[in-house]
Amino acid sequence: MLVLTRKVNESIMIGDSIEVVVVEVHGEQVRIGIKAPREVAVHRREVYEAIQKENIEAAKQKVETLSKAAELFKKPPQGGK
Amino acid sequence: MKIVSRPFGEVEIDENRILTIQGGMFGFEGYERFVLIGVQEQKPFEWIQCVDESSLAFVVLRPDLFMPDYKLSISEADRTALGVKSESELLCYVVCVIPDDMRKITVNLKGPVVVNPGTRLGRQTISLIEHYSVRHPLFDPSRDKSAAPSGGA
C-alpha cells in the first residue's frame, strides 16, 4: 500500500481522473473529499465489507426447502395485512 | 442454452435473458453473467444463477413484495454505469440469507441488485439510505403474533 502524508487541503491523484483531498482534520477524524468520474463508485469500506460478508453467507445456503419459505411468505402474519 | 444451476441442476435458459452484473457481486468479482431462474413452488423467491459457475447462485426477492415503501436510492455513479437517469427505470432485487430456521430469513436492503431491463445490465449497489440493514429480518417476529410458538419448534 502506498502511504503518503498530506496536510489539510493537499491532495492525491489516483490515475488521471481521481483526486483525494484532505478537507479537514479534527481530532481523530479526517474529512476526505473525493473527486471521481461519475461512473466510479466510492463507498465507505465497512459498508462494502458488510455486503460482501452477507453475499458470502447467501451463496453458501443449502436451500432445498425454499418452498417452505415461500409458504411462510404467502401466509399473512396477522390474518390479512 | 443449457446451464447447470445450483438449485435445479441442468436447466434450459434463454440466452437473451442473461444479465451482466457489472463487476460481479461483492466478494465474487469476476463472475458477471447471471440469469434469473425460479420455480412456481418457491415463488416469490427467485435465484440469480451464475451462467459460468454452477455453484454460484443467490436467492433473491423483489423488495416491493414485502416492503411496499422500500426506496431505491443509489449513487450517480451507479446510475451512470447502468445508463439510467433515475432509479424508477430499474428492477430491484435483494439478496436473501436463508438459515435452517426459515422464520429467520434475512434480506440485504443495503446492497440491492439492480437491473436495467432494456439492456440487461445490472449491478450490486450500495443504497444511500442510511438506516437500511444488510440483514433485515424478512418475517418480522414483532409483528407476527400468530406464528412461532414461544416454546420453539
Side-chain angles (χ1 to χ4, degrees):
Chain A
M1 177 166 70
L2 179 65
V3 179
L4 302 171
T5 301
R6 306 268 66 196
K7 296 191 182 111
V8 172
N9 289 326
E10 290 184 338
S11 65
I12 293 165
M13 291 300 298
I14 298 174
D16 54 15
S17 52
I18 299 173
E19 185 180 351
V20 178
V21 186
V22 180
V23 169
E24 188 189 340
V25 175
H26 189 71
E28 290 196 341
Q29 287 194 327
V30 182
R31 275 175 64 92
I32 300 170
I34 299 139
K35 292 188 213 169
R38 283 184 307 155
E39 64 274 10
V40 176
V42 178
H43 292 290
R44 290 176 180 81
R45 184 188 164 135
E46 60 274 13
V47 180
Y48 178 91
E49 284 188 343
I51 293 173
Q52 186 181 44
K53 185 162 170 263
E54 287 311 301
N55 278 359
I56 290 168
E57 271 308 300
K60 283 197 283 201
Q61 303 304 314
K62 294 189 304 266
V63 282
E64 300 86 32
T65 48
L66 193 55
S67 45
K68 202 162 137 207
E71 279 169 48
L72 257 180
F73 190 93
K74 287 168 195 149
K75 196 175 58 182
Q78 275 164 279
K81 188 186 171 302
Chain B
M1 132 178 206
K2 284 203 193 331
I3 64 160
V4 179
S5 72
R6 184 153 85 87
F8 311 120
E10 193 179 82
V11 294
E12 180 71 43
I13 61 154
D14 177 356
E15 274 171 67
N16 296 318
R17 297 194 52 222
I18 294 177
L19 310 173
T20 303
I21 304 291
Q22 297 168 331
M25 300 288 283
F26 295 2
F28 297 92
E29 286 82 4
Y31 295 100
E32 297 198 342
R33 299 200 316 156
F34 284 83
V35 68
L36 198 59
I37 58 176
V39 291
Q40 195 54 41
E41 307 85 83
Q42 293 182 354
K43 281 204 183 322
F45 295 99
E46 297 177 272
W47 294 79
I48 49 166
Q49 168 69 50
C50 181
V51 169
D52 304 306
E53 175 49 63
S54 58
S55 62
L56 187 62
F58 300 91
V59 177
V60 296
L61 198 50
R62 282 177 32 210
D64 57 290
L65 296 177
F66 62 90
M67 196 184 222
D69 54 352
Y70 180 80
K71 190 168 186 296
L72 182 63
S73 176
I74 61 178
S75 69
E76 193 183 354
D78 287 327
R79 278 179 273 131
T80 302
L82 293 165
V84 300
K85 293 200 168 67
S86 122
E87 284 87 338
S88 62
E89 300 170 62
L90 297 167
L91 300 175
C92 180
Y93 298 91
V94 292
V95 178
C96 307
V97 171
I98 319 242
D100 290 331
D101 183 349
M102 292 279 153
R103 294 168 306 193
K104 298 202 167 103
I105 292 176
T106 61
V107 295
N108 184 347
L109 300 180
K110 189 71 176 170
V113 178
V114 298
V115 178
N116 177 338
T119 59
R120 302 255 126 211
L121 277 179
R123 204 160 161 95
Q124 183 165 33
T125 60
I126 296 181
S127 171
L128 297 176
I129 302 197
E130 287 292 323
H131 68 271
Y132 279 165
S133 165
V134 296
R135 208 177 276 185
H136 174 90
L138 179 59
F139 303 119
D140 187 349
S142 65
R143 284 143 103 230
D144 190 0
K145 298 189 178 91
S146 64
S150 50

